[in-house]
Amino acid sequence: MEVMQRLSLPAEVVERLGVVWGKSAGKAGGAVHLLLGHLLDTAAVAELMWDRYLAPRTKRLLEVVSGGRGRMLFVWLCAVHDVGKATPAFQEFDAAGAARVRASGLSWRSAALKSKRWRHDKAGGRLLMDVLGPEWRPEHVGWVWPLIAGHHGAFPSAGVLGDRAVPREHQGRGAQWGEVQRALVEVVTRCVGFGGVADVCPRVVPSRAEQLELSGLIVMADWIASDSRYFPGIDRIDRVGLGVSRDRARAAWEALRLRGGWGVLPVPGDGDLVKVRFGEKGRASQDQLVAFAREVPVPALHIVEGPMGEGKTKAALVAAEVLAARFGCDGVFVGMPTQATSDPMYSQVRRWLREFGGDLESQVALLHGKRMFNPEWREASASGALGECCSGGSSFDGIDEDDELYGIAAGQAERYGPVEWFLGRKRGLLCSFAVGTVDQLLFAATRTRHVMLRFAGLAGKVVIIDEVHAADVYMQQFLVEALRWLGQAGVPVVLLSATLPPAQRRALVEAYVSGQSRPGDPVVVKVPEPGGYPSVTGAYVQDGRVEVACRSTASWRESYPVALEWLPDVSDGGGAVAERTAREVAGGGVALVVLNTVDRAQGVFQALDERFPGEVHLLHGRLCTAHRADRTAVCLERLGPAAGAARPGRMIVVATQLAEQSFDIDADVLLTDLAPIDLLLQRIGRLHRHEGTARPAVLAMPRVVVTGVAPGEGVPALHGGSEAVYGRFRLLRTAAVIERTLAEGGTWSIPSQVPGLVAEVYGDGVVCPSSWGEAEEQARVKWEASERDRAAAAEAFLLAARGEWSRPTLSGLHYGQTAGVGDEKDLEAVVRDGKRSVEVVIVRRRGGGYAALGGAWLGVHGEASEHVLDEVLGGTTRLPAKLTKVAESELRPLDGWRGHPWLEHSLALVLDQGGVARLGEWEIAYESQLGLVVKAGSGS
């Protein structure tokens, strides 16, 4: 009221500001919440975000953009987000509120509003164009209005807000509406501390990526301020004020226990940081990365390549500390290739943060769909340090009346643990420290609703991505897109890989520096080949110049010879593989058998289990969660770095590709299906991995037996399943390199030869014998066509369309927005080539009710009490992709799971009394040793 008096607003304008509503009584806890009150609530939340949450780098950005008034500009941007509600199109939505507005003298024709949909976010963008246009320079109006017009998740194009496109009846026809709208903006502007609208005008236009980050932070402030538990309606303007809103915001912040990460982190000293954080002397390759992080003048891309077991992850974490301190990052995101590899990384990151003191370890979010199965996560959740967000929806996706017109469910309820705001849908990356699948990063590179929230979560952090080589050509399109945006936002990125093909290394570097090179057009960079192994390739742009440097050092362990040989076997049952494995360990020892399909792994396991009962362990993706976790734990206990006396005299592990990544076991001999060279080398990394391991004399030299292929005088025959997974071209070139190796003595030197082998197979040079020429060329043509098609398929979902990188603002970013992509399951399909599969919870029908897979009685309707919940969840498994459609069509949650926080959306696969379930034409069984077994039904 004091501000309005100082502005000498006419009494009728003050009266109208006192009735224009922002939240209906139904959405604001029982009383209408005036629009001015909601805007000031959001401003007060933004103040707390600046003080307690924003990364130092983000504050520095806003200081530059505003000419030294960063806090005020940020608060203002958040405050004006909903000014578009001061329009007839929105005020019409609530009958009681509309009646009060009409009574104040503001009018509109209700019948005319039905002719077109006009949401308040777009209305706000146009309103700011009109209000700011006469006061600001055009380039600043141009980047600010999309932040407002896009705050409900999608950025419209400028044409949608043009004079011809804007429905005047919806926006507010006549001078009275204009007066109220300008007054609303002016009052908010004065309340947050500016001298007027003209005074707010920024000094510098931030980059498009920086605008995307700011947009996400505006959405965050809005969602917090829209929680009616802490911001109930205030329907009298004499009770509205920034002081009142500040009290409400502080109470909400404390109740939700929101917080940031490191804040201002001091740059660590020059000592051995690996030893400080992990208690072990840093290796040369680790010191090399940390030194690079200390020296780069600006945020950079760091590509770390090194052999398995080199300690790349620990090096990345300590380098992240240096980078965060130097460049003002407030936390870290670590992306892993799978859910299974994310879990041990979550534990490692928590142990690392424990060394900083305080309670930072309790702030680590685990971001993947199976986190409730992780015991450490469950324990943290139960203690209140990290509660579990149970609902699949978000109460903030549908906070406004006009959202219902666009298929967004309004007013969804969400249950919170003590500190769970960050773990709602789309918000996980906003947590200062996060570990999850790489999908979380890839999601932030998709043209989907609320992508700005995901990107804002990344932009304040150091981003670490492990096992980069695991991304196929389709996923690489999203990785490259993410690197462009992260480069433009000035986010330090560390990529880890055993090794990368030169073309892939170059693509990653070019993406990051293209982002840093304004206006963001793609650039071509000459990336030097590493002179040794392990290596670090660093890339950044300084003063308009692209700088790329590559350093290498010796590995902490000497290279050792690995002997290779062929074992011809392309059968589905793998009989020859089983027979050879049995011979290898007849006198004792540990064999790792890695096969490319589940069916082949199951067949080999069955044959070996008959010979060595109790000594053979099967690992694959169709095991239920409990069995997979138990077997993985047994393998790590007996064959891991701390096995010691627990290492058995004989053990056989039969696995699929699960054994390629973050599986820290030490085998004496490896039998493996042929795979592309980089993945084959990953498997070899599990061989003679740990020093000091006692081995049988006959297995003292590392040996690899390659199967899944039948070499001969002509082109070798390949196992059909391997071809289906990897394609023929890379397999043939890998087979050719092995053939040549065998002709030249039959050994590789590992790890020294790793980069050269990968470069050879993935390069353009001649590898295959001339007698394979026609077959290789046919495979090449087919592979290149497939790669082009898959890359093109990804392009439709990328955040920025081709040719958009030179655009200065977010206007039109969501033009042609991907339809139907809303939840994490849909997004997983988008970033992983659309091969979506579903998880089911296996239960057994017993008598008049149901039992868990392990046998625990549930109840007549499947009721899962707390004491059997773990056993029920332990029956979760993933079906093959070919069963996705029929499973979604035929399976439902059990009746007793309705309303259960973890089971109400779970599909139940019910095994009958005979242990079989039928889905369409398929018969499905679950056997305790083999896991899920899928067969064509008798009627098919």
Side-chain angles (χ1 to χ4, degrees), residues 29 90 231 268 585 741 785 822 907 917:
F90 184 85
F231 299 93
V585 296
T741 300
L907 302 180

Side-chain angles (χ1 to χ4, degrees), residues 92-160:
E92 171 83 359
F93 274 103
D94 181 69
R100 294 176 65 195
V101 174
R102 288 180 186 276
S104 74
L106 292 172
S107 62
W108 63 88
R109 292 181 296 120
S110 296
L113 300 185
K114 298 177 182 179
S115 63
K116 183 177 182 178
R117 293 176 177 178
W118 187 243
R119 278 178 43 147
H120 76 270
D121 46 3
K122 295 177 183 177
R126 177 54 198 249
L127 191 157
L128 282 184
M129 283 183 181
D130 294 338
V131 173
L132 302 180
E135 308 284 349
W136 285 20
R137 291 169 56 183
E139 65 267 28
H140 293 300
V141 178
W143 73 263
V144 167
W145 74 254
L147 306 188
I148 307 309
H151 82 271
H152 270 253
F155 299 101
S157 63
V160 174

